[in-house]
């Protein structure tokens, strides 16, 4: 079974600053994927970034990047140049060979002026 | 681009009533699933299906039934609604590539259904 832990229920960052959201996971598998999803007030689940566990290189998508530490089972999300539109709930998730996507409890990010 | 379509968007039920949440996808995805989202608990898997005619239980299946007669549709049934089932429900789909087969393994979500059981 996989578990995903997000230890920061809420975070705040000023516009244009950088913020890092933490995520740790537990799995006994060698092959798995990790994801960050964004859920704005509209409630829509939006994929932000994904990482294959077998790739050592950290994934990046424009202002979003991850710090994937496989040995430590850590998968943090860094948002650079934060924008007001980044205000949302952020969920970390893992997908293993059992094909079940497991989510963390989420981090509510507020971007302020 | 329809993607994953859920209906209704909002629903209010009385305790004991039954209803079906509809989910349809037009991407020919084999894998479909239902989640519920409750404050402070993230998204929890209710039921999932790896293809037409095949369903299995997730983390919180009690009180819910599913069926998968076609690749496109995956309805979720509440047979006798309870206040504990008040939640936001999400349907999702993705190709059945699996982590071993490679592929992007990106899961697409519907817009959600907010259900209140009084």
């Amino acid at each position: 079974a996989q578990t995903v832990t997000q230890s920061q229920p809420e975070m705040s960052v000023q516009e244009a600053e950088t913020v890092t959201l933490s995520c740790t996971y537990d799995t006994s598998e060698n092959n798995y994927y990790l994801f960050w999803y964004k859920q704005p007030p509209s409630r829509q689940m939006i994929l932000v970034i994904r990482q294959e566990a077998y790739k050592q290189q950290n994934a990046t998508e424009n202002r979003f990047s991850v710090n994937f530490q496989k040995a430590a089972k850590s998968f943090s999300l860094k948002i650079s140049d934060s924008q007001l539109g980044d205000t949302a709930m952020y969920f970390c998730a893992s997908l293993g060979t059992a094909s079940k996507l497991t989510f963390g409890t989420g981090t509510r990010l507020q971007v302020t002026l | 681009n329809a993607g994953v379509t859920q209906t209704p968007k909002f629903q209010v039920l009385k305790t004991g009533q039954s209803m079906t949440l509809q989910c349809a996808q037009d991407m020919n995805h084999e894998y479909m699933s239902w989640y519920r989202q409750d404050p402070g608990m993230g998204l929890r898997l209710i039921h999932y299906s790896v293809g037409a005619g095949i369903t299995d239980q997730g983390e919180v299946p009690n009180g819910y039934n599913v069926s998968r007669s076609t690749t496109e549709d995956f309805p979720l049934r509440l047979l006798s609604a309870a206040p504990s089932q008040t939640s936001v429900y999400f349907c999702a789909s993705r190709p059945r590539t699996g982590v071993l087969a490679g592929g992007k393994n990106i899961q697409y979500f519907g817009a959600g259904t907010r259900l209140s059981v009084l």
Side-chain angles (χ1 to χ4, degrees):
Chain A
Q2 299 193 326
T3 60
V4 178
T5 302
Q6 293 179 251
S7 59
Q8 304 155 315
E10 295 184 356
M11 293 194 72
S12 180
V13 64
Q14 285 193 320
E15 197 176 21
E17 297 296 311
T18 296
V19 64
T20 298
L21 308 184
S22 300
C23 173
T24 58
Y25 61 93
D26 191 17
T27 180
S28 57
E29 302 188 35
N30 289 322
N31 296 310
Y32 54 92
Y33 286 72
L34 298 167
F35 304 86
W36 278 98
Y37 278 89
K38 169 185 177 181
Q39 186 182 42
S42 67
R43 212 169 60 201
Q44 183 70 45
M45 293 291 288
I46 302 166
L47 179 67
V48 175
I49 200 165
R50 57 186 278 275
Q51 173 83 40
E52 291 102 317
Y54 61 86
K55 289 188 176 180
Q56 291 185 335
Q57 186 174 5
N58 289 326
T60 62
E61 288 287 343
N62 301 315
R63 298 182 295 107
F64 299 88
S65 61
V66 297
N67 183 5
F68 174 46
Q69 301 290 327
K70 190 172 183 178
K73 295 182 179 176
S74 171
F75 183 61
S76 60
L77 174 70
K78 185 171 81 171
I79 306 174
S80 304
D81 187 24
S82 297
Q83 301 175 358
L84 294 177
D86 295 334
T87 293
M89 282 287 287
Y90 287 82
F91 291 98
C92 180
S94 69
L95 175 68
T97 53
S99 294
K100 297 178 186 179
L101 193 62
T102 301
F103 286 87
T105 53
T107 297
R108 184 176 302 280
L109 177 67
Q110 180 71 48
V111 180
T112 60
L113 292 171
Chain B
N1 287 341
V4 180
T5 303
Q6 283 184 243
T7 56
K9 286 185 169 34
F10 302 94
Q11 184 71 49
V12 178
L13 293 177
K14 294 181 180 178
T15 297
Q17 285 186 314
S18 63
M19 80 158 296
T20 299
L21 305 185
Q22 301 291 346
C23 177
Q25 52 93 7
D26 61 356
M27 297 173 281
N28 202 31
H29 287 168
E30 296 91 341
Y31 192 93
M32 296 186 74
S33 52
W34 276 101
Y35 296 85
R36 61 177 288 173
Q37 182 180 18
D38 301 294
M41 303 191 76
L43 278 77
R44 294 182 293 169
L45 183 64
I46 304 172
H47 285 285
Y48 67 100
S49 169
V50 298
I54 306 170
T55 64
D56 205 347
Q57 295 181 348
E59 182 184 355
V60 287
N62 292 341
Y64 308 95
N65 281 349
V66 293
S67 60
R68 185 93 180 270
S69 57
T70 67
T71 298
E72 294 78 18
D73 300 300
F74 190 45
L76 178 72
R77 297 183 184 85
L78 285 71
L79 298 179
S80 179
S84 62
Q85 294 178 305
T86 293
S87 187
V88 178
Y89 292 84
F90 287 95
C91 179
S93 76
R94 65 174 173 82
R96 190 189 167 191
T97 52
V99 296
L100 297 180
K104 293 187 175 181
N105 283 291
I106 296 174
Q107 187 144 279
Y108 297 85
F109 286 84
T113 296
R114 182 176 293 278
L115 175 67
S116 295
V117 182
L118 306 177

